[in-house]
Amino acid sequence: MPRGHSLRLTPAAAAELCRQAAVAGTPGLMHLELLEGACEAWAIRLCPGHLAGTPVARADGITLYSPAGQLPLLQGLQLDYRGDLSGGGFLVRPGPGVSTCACGAAFSRQT
């Protein structure tokens, strides 16, 4: 993982982020924000562009930004993408001390 980055991207996630950024007219730039979740403490929201914040991941032509205050929550997580004929979605792969819900898009840190 590059120095200073707290979130890892799988190749599948990087490819889908690149595709979404290009379709939105902001090639190479995406923004991740954590919102209060329903099934776990935090849910991810992805938006095209660089809305503000700090780079939290960089891979295969995409830079993902997030608010600086959310960096500790993203530490040690991995963002993955799974797709099939019926659709797809981004999934949070947990690290130590993190649990995810069945949907895969929300997580909690154990304290």
Coordinates of all heavy atoms in Angstrom, one line a residue:
M1 N 0.9 -1.2 0.0 CA 0.0 0.0 0.0 C 0.9 1.2 0.0 O 1.8 1.3 0.8 CB -0.9 0.0 1.2 CG -1.8 1.1 1.4 SD -3.1 0.9 2.6 CE -2.2 0.5 4.1
P2 N 0.6 2.2 -0.9 CA 1.4 3.4 -0.9 C 1.4 4.1 0.4 O 0.4 4.1 1.1 CB 0.8 4.3 -2.0 CG 0.0 3.3 -2.8 CD -0.4 2.2 -1.9
R3 N 2.5 4.7 0.8 CA 2.7 5.5 2.0 C 1.6 6.6 2.1 O 1.3 7.3 1.1 CB 4.0 6.1 2.1 CG 4.4 6.6 3.5 CD 5.7 7.2 3.5 NE 5.5 8.5 3.0 CZ 6.3 9.5 3.0 NH1 7.5 9.3 3.5 NH2 6.1 10.7 2.5
G4 N 1.0 6.7 3.3 CA 0.0 7.7 3.5 C -1.4 7.3 3.1 O -2.4 8.1 3.3
H5 N -1.6 6.2 2.5 CA -2.9 5.7 2.0 C -3.4 4.7 3.0 O -2.7 3.8 3.5 CB -2.9 5.1 0.6 CG -2.5 6.2 -0.4 ND1 -2.5 5.9 -1.7 CD2 -2.2 7.5 -0.3 CE1 -2.2 7.0 -2.4 NE2 -2.0 7.9 -1.6
S6 N -4.7 4.8 3.4 CA -5.2 4.0 4.5 C -6.2 2.9 4.0 O -6.5 2.0 4.7 CB -5.9 4.9 5.5 OG -6.9 5.7 4.9
L7 N -6.6 3.0 2.7 CA -7.6 2.0 2.2 C -6.9 1.3 1.0 O -6.2 2.0 0.2 CB -8.8 2.8 1.7 CG -9.9 2.0 1.1 CD1 -10.6 1.2 2.1 CD2 -10.9 2.9 0.4
R8 N -7.1 0.0 0.9 CA -6.6 -0.7 -0.3 C -7.7 -1.0 -1.3 O -8.9 -1.2 -0.9 CB -6.0 -2.0 0.2 CG -4.7 -1.8 1.0 CD -4.2 -3.1 1.5 NE -5.1 -3.6 2.5 CZ -5.5 -4.9 2.7 NH1 -4.9 -5.8 1.9 NH2 -6.4 -5.3 3.6
L9 N -7.4 -0.9 -2.6 CA -8.4 -1.2 -3.6 C -8.0 -2.5 -4.3 O -6.8 -2.7 -4.6 CB -8.4 -0.1 -4.7 CG -8.8 1.3 -4.2 CD1 -8.6 2.3 -5.4 CD2 -10.2 1.3 -3.7
T10 N -8.9 -3.4 -4.5 CA -8.6 -4.6 -5.3 C -8.6 -4.1 -6.8 O -9.1 -3.1 -7.2 CB -9.7 -5.7 -5.2 OG1 -11.0 -5.2 -5.7 CG2 -9.8 -6.1 -3.7
P11 N -8.0 -4.9 -7.7 CA -8.0 -4.6 -9.1 C -9.5 -4.4 -9.7 O -9.7 -3.5 -10.5 CB -7.3 -5.7 -9.8 CG -6.4 -6.2 -8.7 CD -7.1 -6.1 -7.4
A12 N -10.4 -5.2 -9.2 CA -11.8 -5.1 -9.6 C -12.4 -3.8 -9.2 O -13.1 -3.2 -10.0 CB -12.6 -6.3 -9.1
A13 N -12.1 -3.4 -8.0 CA -12.7 -2.1 -7.5 C -12.0 -0.9 -8.2 O -12.8 0.0 -8.6 CB -12.4 -2.0 -6.0
A14 N -10.8 -1.0 -8.5 CA -10.1 0.1 -9.2 C -10.6 0.2 -10.6 O -10.9 1.3 -11.1 CB -8.6 -0.2 -9.2
A15 N -10.9 -0.9 -11.3 CA -11.4 -0.9 -12.6 C -12.8 -0.3 -12.7 O -13.1 0.5 -13.5 CB -11.4 -2.3 -13.2
E16 N -13.7 -0.7 -11.7 CA -15.0 -0.1 -11.7 C -15.0 1.3 -11.3 O -15.8 2.1 -11.8 CB -15.9 -1.0 -10.7 CG -17.3 -0.5 -10.7 CD -18.1 -0.5 -12.0 OE1 -17.7 -1.2 -12.9 OE2 -19.2 0.2 -12.0
L17 N -14.2 1.7 -10.4 CA -14.1 3.1 -10.0 C -13.6 4.0 -11.2 O -14.2 5.1 -11.5 CB -13.1 3.3 -8.8 CG -13.6 2.9 -7.5 CD1 -12.5 2.9 -6.5 CD2 -14.8 3.7 -7.0
C18 N -12.7 3.4 -12.0 CA -12.2 4.1 -13.2 C -13.3 4.3 -14.2 O -13.5 5.3 -14.8 CB -11.0 3.4 -13.8 SG -9.4 3.7 -13.1
R19 N -14.1 3.2 -14.4 CA -15.2 3.2 -15.3 C -16.2 4.3 -14.9 O -16.7 5.1 -15.7 CB -15.9 1.8 -15.4 CG -17.0 1.8 -16.5 CD -17.8 0.5 -16.4 NE -18.7 0.6 -15.2 CZ -19.8 1.3 -15.2 NH1 -20.2 2.0 -16.2 NH2 -20.6 1.3 -14.1
Q20 N -16.6 4.3 -13.6 CA -17.6 5.2 -13.1 C -17.1 6.7 -13.2 O -17.9 7.6 -13.6 CB -18.0 4.9 -11.7 CG -18.9 3.7 -11.6 CD -19.4 3.4 -10.2 OE1 -19.4 4.3 -9.3 NE2 -19.8 2.2 -9.9
A21 N -15.9 6.9 -12.9 CA -15.3 8.2 -13.0 C -15.3 8.7 -14.5 O -15.6 9.9 -14.7 CB -13.9 8.3 -12.4
A22 N -14.9 7.9 -15.4 CA -14.9 8.2 -16.8 C -16.3 8.6 -17.3 O -16.5 9.5 -18.0 CB -14.2 7.1 -17.6
V23 N -17.3 7.7 -17.0 CA -18.7 8.0 -17.4 C -19.2 9.3 -16.9 O -19.9 10.0 -17.5 CB -19.6 6.8 -17.0 CG1 -21.0 7.2 -17.1 CG2 -19.3 5.6 -17.7
A24 N -18.8 9.7 -15.7 CA -19.2 10.9 -15.0 C -18.4 12.1 -15.5 O -18.8 13.3 -15.1 CB -19.1 10.8 -13.5
G25 N -17.4 11.9 -16.3 CA -16.6 13.1 -16.8 C -15.5 13.5 -15.9 O -15.0 14.6 -16.0
T26 N -15.1 12.7 -14.9 CA -14.1 13.0 -14.0 C -13.0 11.9 -14.0 O -12.8 11.2 -12.9 CB -14.6 13.3 -12.5 OG1 -15.2 12.1 -12.1 CG2 -15.5 14.4 -12.5
P27 N -12.4 11.6 -15.1 CA -11.5 10.5 -15.2 C -10.4 10.5 -14.1 O -9.8 11.5 -13.9 CB -10.9 10.6 -16.6 CG -11.4 11.8 -17.2 CD -12.4 12.4 -16.3
G28 N -10.3 9.3 -13.4 CA -9.3 9.1 -12.4 C -9.6 9.7 -11.1 O -8.8 9.5 -10.2
L29 N -10.8 10.3 -10.8 CA -11.1 10.9 -9.6 C -12.4 10.4 -9.0 O -13.4 10.5 -9.7 CB -11.2 12.4 -9.7 CG -9.9 13.1 -10.2 CD1 -10.2 14.6 -10.4 CD2 -8.8 13.0 -9.2
M30 N -12.4 9.9 -7.8 CA -13.6 9.4 -7.1 C -13.5 9.9 -5.7 O -12.4 10.1 -5.1 CB -13.8 7.9 -7.2 CG -14.2 7.4 -8.6 SD -15.9 7.8 -9.1 CE -16.9 6.7 -8.1
H31 N -14.6 10.0 -5.0 CA -14.7 10.4 -3.6 C -15.5 9.4 -2.8 O -16.6 8.9 -3.2 CB -15.4 11.8 -3.6 CG -15.5 12.3 -2.2 ND1 -14.5 13.0 -1.6 CD2 -16.5 12.3 -1.3 CE1 -14.9 13.4 -0.4 NE2 -16.1 13.0 -0.2
L32 N -15.0 9.0 -1.7 CA -15.6 8.0 -0.8 C -16.0 8.8 0.5 O -15.1 9.5 1.1 CB -14.7 6.9 -0.4 CG -15.3 5.8 0.5 CD1 -14.8 4.4 0.1 CD2 -15.0 6.0 1.9
E33 N -17.2 8.6 1.0 CA -17.6 9.3 2.2 C -18.3 8.2 3.0 O -19.0 7.3 2.5 CB -18.6 10.4 1.9 CG -19.0 11.2 3.1 CD -19.8 12.4 2.8 OE1 -20.2 12.6 1.7 OE2 -20.1 13.2 3.7
L34 N -18.1 8.3 4.3 CA -18.8 7.3 5.3 C -20.0 8.0 5.9 O -19.9 9.1 6.3 CB -17.8 6.9 6.4 CG -16.6 6.2 5.9 CD1 -15.7 5.9 7.1 CD2 -17.0 4.9 5.3
L35 N -21.1 7.3 5.8 CA -22.4 7.8 6.4 C -22.8 6.8 7.5 O -22.4 5.7 7.5 CB -23.5 7.8 5.3 CG -23.1 8.6 4.0 CD1 -24.2 8.4 3.0 CD2 -23.0 10.1 4.3
E36 N -23.6 7.3 8.4 CA -24.1 6.4 9.4 C -24.9 5.3 8.8 O -25.8 5.6 7.9 CB -25.0 7.2 10.4 CG -24.1 8.1 11.3 CD -25.0 8.6 12.5 OE1 -25.8 7.9 13.0 OE2 -24.7 9.8 12.8
G37 N -24.6 4.1 9.1 CA -25.2 2.9 8.5 C -26.4 2.4 9.3 O -26.7 2.9 10.4
A38 N -27.2 1.6 8.6 CA -28.4 1.0 9.3 C -28.0 -0.4 9.9 O -28.3 -0.6 11.1 CB -29.5 0.8 8.3
C39 N -27.3 -1.2 9.2 CA -27.0 -2.6 9.7 C -25.7 -2.6 10.5 O -25.4 -3.5 11.2 CB -27.0 -3.6 8.6 SG -26.0 -3.1 7.2
E40 N -24.8 -1.6 10.2 CA -23.5 -1.5 10.9 C -23.3 0.0 11.2 O -24.1 0.8 10.7 CB -22.3 -2.1 10.2 CG -22.4 -3.6 10.0 CD -22.0 -4.4 11.3 OE1 -21.6 -3.7 12.3 OE2 -22.3 -5.6 11.4
A41 N -22.3 0.4 11.8 CA -22.1 1.8 12.2 C -21.9 2.7 11.0 O -22.3 3.8 11.0 CB -20.9 1.9 13.2
W42 N -21.1 2.2 10.0 CA -20.7 3.1 8.8 C -21.1 2.4 7.5 O -20.8 1.2 7.3 CB -19.2 3.4 8.9 CG -18.8 4.1 10.1 CD1 -18.2 3.5 11.2 CD2 -19.1 5.4 10.4 NE1 -18.1 4.5 12.2 CE2 -18.6 5.7 11.7 CE3 -19.7 6.5 9.8 CZ2 -18.7 6.9 12.4 CZ3 -19.8 7.7 10.4 CH2 -19.2 7.9 11.7
A43 N -21.6 3.2 6.6 CA -21.8 2.7 5.2 C -21.1 3.6 4.3 O -20.8 4.8 4.5 CB -23.3 2.8 4.9
I44 N -20.6 3.0 3.1 CA -19.8 3.8 2.2 C -20.8 4.4 1.1 O -21.8 3.9 0.8 CB -18.8 2.9 1.5 CG1 -19.4 1.8 0.7 CG2 -17.7 2.5 2.5 CD1 -18.4 1.1 -0.2
R45 N -20.4 5.6 0.7 CA -21.0 6.3 -0.4 C -19.9 6.8 -1.4 O -19.0 7.5 -0.9 CB -21.9 7.5 0.0 CG -22.5 8.2 -1.2 CD -23.5 9.2 -0.7 NE -22.7 10.4 -0.3 CZ -23.2 11.6 0.1 NH1 -24.5 11.7 0.1 NH2 -22.4 12.5 0.5
L46 N -20.0 6.4 -2.6 CA -19.1 6.8 -3.6 C -19.7 7.8 -4.6 O -20.8 7.6 -5.0 CB -18.6 5.5 -4.4 CG -17.8 4.5 -3.5 CD1 -17.8 3.2 -4.2 CD2 -16.4 5.1 -3.3
C47 N -18.9 8.8 -4.9 CA -19.3 9.8 -5.8 C -18.2 10.1 -6.8 O -17.0 10.1 -6.4 CB -19.7 11.1 -5.1 SG -20.9 11.0 -3.8
P48 N -18.5 10.5 -8.0 CA -17.4 10.8 -9.0 C -16.8 12.2 -8.6 O -17.5 13.0 -8.0 CB -18.1 10.9 -10.3 CG -19.6 10.9 -10.0 CD -19.8 10.4 -8.7
G49 N -15.6 12.4 -9.0 CA -14.9 13.6 -8.8 C -14.1 13.7 -7.5 O -14.1 12.8 -6.7
H50 N -13.5 14.9 -7.3 CA -12.7 15.1 -6.1 C -13.5 16.2 -5.4 O -13.3 17.4 -5.6 CB -11.3 15.6 -6.5 CG -10.5 16.1 -5.4 ND1 -9.7 17.2 -5.5 CD2 -10.4 15.7 -4.1 CE1 -9.1 17.4 -4.3 NE2 -9.5 16.5 -3.5
L51 N -14.3 15.8 -4.5 CA -15.2 16.8 -3.8 C -14.5 17.5 -2.7 O -14.9 18.6 -2.2 CB -16.4 16.0 -3.2 CG -17.2 15.3 -4.2 CD1 -18.4 14.5 -3.5 CD2 -17.8 16.3 -5.3
A52 N -13.4 17.0 -2.2 CA -12.5 17.6 -1.1 C -12.0 16.4 -0.4 O -12.4 15.3 -0.5 CB -13.3 18.5 -0.2
G53 N -11.0 16.7 0.4 CA -10.4 15.6 1.3 C -9.0 15.2 0.9 O -8.3 16.0 0.2
T54 N -8.7 14.1 1.4 CA -7.3 13.6 1.3 C -7.3 12.3 0.5 O -8.3 11.5 0.6 CB -6.8 13.2 2.7 OG1 -6.9 14.4 3.5 CG2 -5.4 12.7 2.7
P55 N -6.3 12.1 -0.4 CA -6.3 10.8 -1.1 C -6.1 9.6 -0.1 O -5.3 9.7 0.8 CB -5.0 10.9 -1.9 CG -4.5 12.3 -1.8 CD -5.2 12.9 -0.7
V56 N -7.0 8.6 -0.2 CA -7.0 7.5 0.7 C -6.6 6.2 0.0 O -6.2 5.2 0.6 CB -8.3 7.3 1.5 CG1 -8.5 8.4 2.4 CG2 -9.4 7.1 0.5
A57 N -6.6 6.2 -1.3 CA -6.2 5.1 -2.1 C -5.9 5.5 -3.5 O -6.5 6.4 -4.1 CB -7.3 4.0 -2.1
R58 N -4.9 4.8 -4.1 CA -4.5 5.1 -5.5 C -4.1 3.8 -6.1 O -3.3 3.1 -5.6 CB -3.4 6.1 -5.5 CG -3.0 6.6 -6.9 CD -2.0 7.7 -6.8 NE -2.7 8.9 -6.4 CZ -2.2 9.8 -5.5 NH1 -1.1 9.6 -4.9 NH2 -2.9 10.9 -5.2
A59 N -4.7 3.4 -7.2 CA -4.4 2.2 -7.9 C -4.9 2.2 -9.3 O -6.0 2.7 -9.6 CB -5.0 1.0 -7.1
D60 N -4.1 1.7 -10.2 CA -4.5 1.5 -11.6 C -5.3 2.7 -12.2 O -6.3 2.5 -12.9 CB -5.4 0.2 -11.7 CG -4.7 -1.0 -11.2 OD1 -3.4 -1.0 -11.3 OD2 -5.3 -1.9 -10.7
G61 N -4.8 3.9 -12.0 CA -5.3 5.0 -12.7 C -6.5 5.8 -12.0 O -7.0 6.7 -12.5
I62 N -6.8 5.4 -10.8 CA -7.8 6.0 -10.0 C -7.3 6.5 -8.7 O -6.4 5.8 -8.1 CB -9.0 5.1 -9.8 CG1 -10.2 5.8 -9.2 CG2 -8.7 3.9 -8.9 CD1 -11.0 6.6 -10.2
T63 N -7.7 7.7 -8.3 CA -7.4 8.2 -6.9 C -8.7 8.4 -6.2 O -9.6 9.0 -6.7 CB -6.6 9.5 -7.0 OG1 -5.4 9.3 -7.8 CG2 -6.2 10.0 -5.6
L64 N -8.8 7.8 -5.0 CA -10.0 7.9 -4.2 C -9.7 8.8 -3.1 O -8.7 8.7 -2.3 CB -10.3 6.5 -3.7 CG -11.6 6.3 -3.0 CD1 -12.8 6.6 -3.9 CD2 -11.7 4.8 -2.6
Y65 N -10.6 9.8 -2.9 CA -10.5 10.8 -1.9 C -11.5 10.6 -0.8 O -12.6 10.0 -1.1 CB -10.6 12.2 -2.4 CG -9.5 12.7 -3.4 CD1 -9.6 12.3 -4.7 CD2 -8.4 13.4 -2.9 CE1 -8.5 12.7 -5.6 CE2 -7.4 13.7 -3.7 CZ -7.5 13.4 -5.1 OH -6.5 13.7 -5.9
S66 N -11.2 11.1 0.4 CA -12.2 11.0 1.5 C -11.9 12.1 2.5 O -10.8 12.6 2.6 CB -12.0 9.6 2.3 OG -13.0 9.5 3.3
P67 N -12.9 12.5 3.3 CA -12.7 13.6 4.3 C -11.6 13.2 5.2 O -11.5 12.0 5.7 CB -14.0 13.7 5.0 CG -15.0 13.2 4.0 CD -14.3 12.1 3.2
A68 N -10.7 14.1 5.6 CA -9.6 13.8 6.5 C -10.0 13.2 7.8 O -9.3 12.3 8.3 CB -8.7 15.0 6.7
G69 N -11.1 13.6 8.3 CA -11.6 13.1 9.6 C -12.0 11.7 9.6 O -12.1 11.0 10.7
Q70 N -12.2 11.1 8.4 CA -12.6 9.7 8.3 C -11.5 8.7 8.1 O -11.7 7.5 8.0 CB -13.7 9.6 7.2 CG -15.0 10.3 7.5 CD -16.0 10.2 6.5 OE1 -15.8 9.7 5.4 NE2 -17.3 10.6 6.9
L71 N -10.3 9.3 7.9 CA -9.1 8.4 7.7 C -8.9 7.3 8.7 O -8.7 6.1 8.3 CB -7.9 9.2 7.5 CG -7.8 10.2 6.4 CD1 -6.5 11.0 6.4 CD2 -8.0 9.5 5.0
P72 N -9.1 7.6 10.0 CA -8.9 6.5 11.0 C -9.9 5.3 10.8 O -9.6 4.2 11.1 CB -9.0 7.1 12.3 CG -8.8 8.6 12.1 CD -9.2 8.8 10.7
L73 N -11.1 5.7 10.4 CA -12.1 4.6 10.2 C -11.8 3.7 9.0 O -12.2 2.6 8.9 CB -13.5 5.3 10.0 CG -14.0 6.0 11.2 CD1 -15.3 6.8 10.8 CD2 -14.4 5.0 12.3
L74 N -11.1 4.3 8.0 CA -10.8 3.5 6.8 C -9.5 2.7 6.9 O -9.2 1.8 6.1 CB -10.6 4.5 5.6 CG -11.9 5.2 5.2 CD1 -11.6 6.3 4.2 CD2 -13.0 4.3 4.7
Q75 N -8.7 2.9 7.9 CA -7.4 2.3 8.1 C -7.6 0.8 8.1 O -8.4 0.2 8.9 CB -6.7 2.7 9.4 CG -5.3 2.3 9.6 CD -4.4 2.9 8.6 OE1 -4.5 4.1 8.3 NE2 -3.5 2.2 8.0
G76 N -6.8 0.1 7.2 CA -6.8 -1.4 7.2 C -7.9 -2.0 6.4 O -8.0 -3.3 6.4
L77 N -8.8 -1.2 5.8 CA -9.9 -1.8 5.1 C -9.5 -2.0 3.6 O -8.6 -1.4 3.1 CB -11.1 -0.9 5.1 CG -11.8 -0.7 6.5 CD1 -13.0 0.2 6.3 CD2 -12.2 -2.0 7.1
Q78 N -10.2 -2.9 2.9 CA -10.0 -3.1 1.5 C -11.4 -2.9 0.8 O -12.4 -3.5 1.3 CB -9.5 -4.5 1.3 CG -9.2 -4.8 -0.2 CD -8.6 -6.2 -0.4 OE1 -9.2 -7.2 0.1 NE2 -7.5 -6.3 -1.1
L79 N -11.4 -2.2 -0.3 CA -12.6 -2.0 -1.1 C -12.5 -2.9 -2.3 O -11.5 -2.9 -3.0 CB -12.7 -0.6 -1.5 CG -14.0 -0.2 -2.2 CD1 -15.2 -0.3 -1.2 CD2 -14.0 1.2 -2.7
D80 N -13.5 -3.8 -2.5 CA -13.6 -4.7 -3.5 C -14.9 -4.4 -4.4 O -15.7 -3.7 -3.9 CB -13.7 -6.1 -3.0 CG -13.4 -7.2 -4.0 OD1 -13.0 -6.9 -5.1 OD2 -13.5 -8.4 -3.6
Y81 N -14.9 -5.0 -5.6 CA -16.1 -4.9 -6.4 C -16.5 -6.3 -6.9 O -15.6 -7.0 -7.4 CB -15.9 -3.9 -7.6 CG -17.1 -3.8 -8.4 CD1 -18.1 -3.0 -8.1 CD2 -17.2 -4.5 -9.6 CE1 -19.3 -2.8 -8.9 CE2 -18.4 -4.4 -10.4 CZ -19.4 -3.6 -10.0 OH -20.5 -3.5 -10.8
R82 N -17.7 -6.6 -6.8 CA -18.2 -7.9 -7.4 C -19.4 -7.6 -8.3 O -20.3 -6.9 -7.9 CB -18.7 -8.8 -6.3 CG -17.6 -9.3 -5.4 CD -16.8 -10.4 -6.1 NE -15.8 -10.9 -5.3 CZ -14.5 -10.9 -5.5 NH1 -14.0 -10.3 -6.6 NH2 -13.6 -11.3 -4.7
G83 N -19.3 -8.1 -9.5 CA -20.4 -7.9 -10.4 C -20.8 -9.2 -11.1 O -19.9 -10.1 -11.3
D84 N -22.0 -9.3 -11.6 CA -22.5 -10.5 -12.4 C -23.5 -10.0 -13.3 O -23.8 -8.8 -13.4 CB -22.9 -11.6 -11.5 CG -24.1 -11.2 -10.5 OD1 -24.9 -10.3 -10.9 OD2 -24.2 -11.8 -9.5
L85 N -24.2 -10.9 -14.0 CA -25.2 -10.5 -15.0 C -26.4 -9.7 -14.4 O -27.1 -8.9 -15.1 CB -25.8 -11.7 -15.7 CG -24.7 -12.4 -16.6 CD1 -25.3 -13.7 -17.1 CD2 -24.3 -11.5 -17.7
S86 N -26.7 -9.8 -13.1 CA -27.8 -9.1 -12.5 C -27.4 -7.8 -11.8 O -28.2 -7.1 -11.3 CB -28.5 -10.0 -11.4 OG -27.6 -10.3 -10.4
G87 N -26.1 -7.4 -11.9 CA -25.6 -6.2 -11.3 C -24.3 -6.4 -10.6 O -23.6 -7.3 -10.8
G88 N -24.0 -5.4 -9.7 CA -22.8 -5.5 -8.9 C -22.8 -4.5 -7.8 O -23.7 -3.7 -7.7
G89 N -21.7 -4.5 -7.1 CA -21.6 -3.6 -6.0 C -20.3 -3.6 -5.3 O -19.5 -4.5 -5.5
F90 N -20.0 -2.5 -4.6 CA -18.7 -2.4 -3.9 C -18.9 -3.1 -2.5 O -19.9 -3.0 -1.9 CB -18.3 -1.0 -3.7 CG -17.8 -0.4 -5.0 CD1 -18.7 0.4 -5.8 CD2 -16.5 -0.5 -5.4 CE1 -18.3 0.9 -7.0 CE2 -16.1 0.0 -6.6 CZ -17.0 0.8 -7.4
L91 N -17.8 -3.8 -2.1 CA -17.9 -4.5 -0.8 C -16.7 -4.1 0.0 O -15.6 -3.9 -0.5 CB -17.8 -6.0 -1.0 CG -18.8 -6.6 -2.0 CD1 -18.4 -8.1 -2.3 CD2 -20.2 -6.6 -1.3
V92 N -16.9 -3.9 1.3 CA -15.8 -3.6 2.3 C -15.3 -5.0 2.8 O -16.0 -5.8 3.3 CB -16.3 -2.8 3.4 CG1 -15.2 -2.6 4.5 CG2 -16.8 -1.4 2.9
R93 N -14.0 -5.2 2.6 CA -13.4 -6.4 3.2 C -12.7 -6.0 4.5 O -11.8 -5.1 4.5 CB -12.3 -6.9 2.2 CG -12.9 -7.3 0.9 CD -13.7 -8.5 1.0 NE -14.2 -8.9 -0.4 CZ -15.3 -9.7 -0.6 NH1 -16.0 -10.0 0.4 NH2 -15.6 -10.0 -1.8
P94 N -13.1 -6.5 5.6 CA -12.6 -6.1 6.9 C -11.2 -6.5 7.2 O -10.7 -7.5 6.7 CB -13.6 -6.7 7.9 CG -14.0 -8.0 7.2 CD -14.1 -7.7 5.7
G95 N -10.6 -5.7 8.0 CA -9.3 -6.0 8.6 C -9.5 -6.4 10.1 O -10.6 -6.5 10.5
P96 N -8.4 -6.5 10.8 CA -8.5 -6.8 12.3 C -9.4 -5.8 13.0 O -9.3 -4.6 12.8 CB -7.1 -6.8 12.8 CG -6.3 -6.9 11.5 CD -7.1 -6.3 10.4
G97 N -10.3 -6.3 13.9 CA -11.1 -5.4 14.7 C -12.3 -4.7 13.9 O -12.9 -3.8 14.4
V98 N -12.6 -5.3 12.7 CA -13.7 -4.7 11.9 C -14.7 -5.8 11.6 O -14.3 -6.9 11.3 CB -13.1 -4.1 10.6 CG1 -14.2 -3.6 9.7 CG2 -12.2 -3.0 11.0
S99 N -15.9 -5.5 11.7 CA -17.0 -6.5 11.2 C -17.8 -5.8 10.1 O -18.0 -4.6 10.1 CB -17.9 -6.9 12.4 OG -18.5 -5.8 12.9
T100 N -18.3 -6.6 9.2 CA -19.2 -6.1 8.1 C -20.5 -6.8 8.2 O -20.7 -7.9 8.8 CB -18.5 -6.4 6.8 OG1 -18.3 -7.8 6.6 CG2 -17.2 -5.7 6.6
C101 N -21.5 -6.2 7.6 CA -22.8 -6.8 7.6 C -23.0 -7.6 6.3 O -22.1 -7.7 5.5 CB -23.9 -5.7 7.6 SG -23.9 -4.7 6.1
A102 N -24.1 -8.3 6.2 CA -24.3 -9.2 5.1 C -24.3 -8.5 3.7 O -23.9 -9.1 2.7 CB -25.7 -9.9 5.3
C103 N -24.7 -7.2 3.7 CA -24.7 -6.5 2.4 C -23.3 -6.2 2.0 O -23.0 -6.0 0.8 CB -25.5 -5.2 2.5 SG -24.7 -3.9 3.5
G104 N -22.3 -6.2 2.9 CA -20.9 -5.9 2.5 C -20.5 -4.5 2.3 O -19.4 -4.2 2.2
A105 N -21.5 -3.6 2.3 CA -21.2 -2.2 2.1 C -21.2 -1.3 3.4 O -21.0 -0.2 3.4 CB -22.2 -1.6 1.1
A106 N -21.4 -2.0 4.5 CA -21.3 -1.3 5.8 C -20.4 -2.1 6.8 O -20.3 -3.3 6.7 CB -22.8 -1.2 6.4
F107 N -19.8 -1.3 7.7 CA -18.9 -2.0 8.7 C -18.9 -1.2 10.0 O -19.4 -0.1 10.1 CB -17.5 -2.0 8.1 CG -16.9 -0.6 8.0 CD1 -16.1 -0.1 9.0 CD2 -17.1 0.2 6.9 CE1 -15.5 1.1 8.9 CE2 -16.5 1.5 6.8 CZ -15.7 1.9 7.8
S108 N -18.4 -1.9 11.0 CA -18.2 -1.3 12.3 C -16.8 -1.7 12.8 O -16.3 -2.7 12.5 CB -19.2 -1.9 13.3 OG -20.5 -1.5 13.0
R109 N -16.3 -0.8 13.6 CA -15.0 -1.0 14.3 C -15.3 -1.4 15.7 O -16.1 -0.8 16.4 CB -14.1 0.2 14.3 CG -13.6 0.6 12.9 CD -12.2 1.1 13.0 NE -11.7 1.3 11.7 CZ -10.8 0.4 11.2 NH1 -10.3 -0.6 11.9 NH2 -10.3 0.6 10.0
Q110 N -14.7 -2.5 16.1 CA -14.9 -3.0 17.5 C -14.0 -2.1 18.4 O -12.8 -1.9 18.1 CB -14.6 -4.4 17.7 CG -15.6 -5.3 17.0 CD -15.0 -6.3 16.0 OE1 -13.8 -6.4 15.9 NE2 -15.9 -6.9 15.2
T111 N -14.6 -1.6 19.5 CA -13.8 -0.8 20.4 C -13.5 -1.4 21.7 O -14.2 -2.4 22.1 CB -14.5 0.6 20.6 OG1 -15.8 0.3 21.1 CG2 -14.5 1.4 19.4

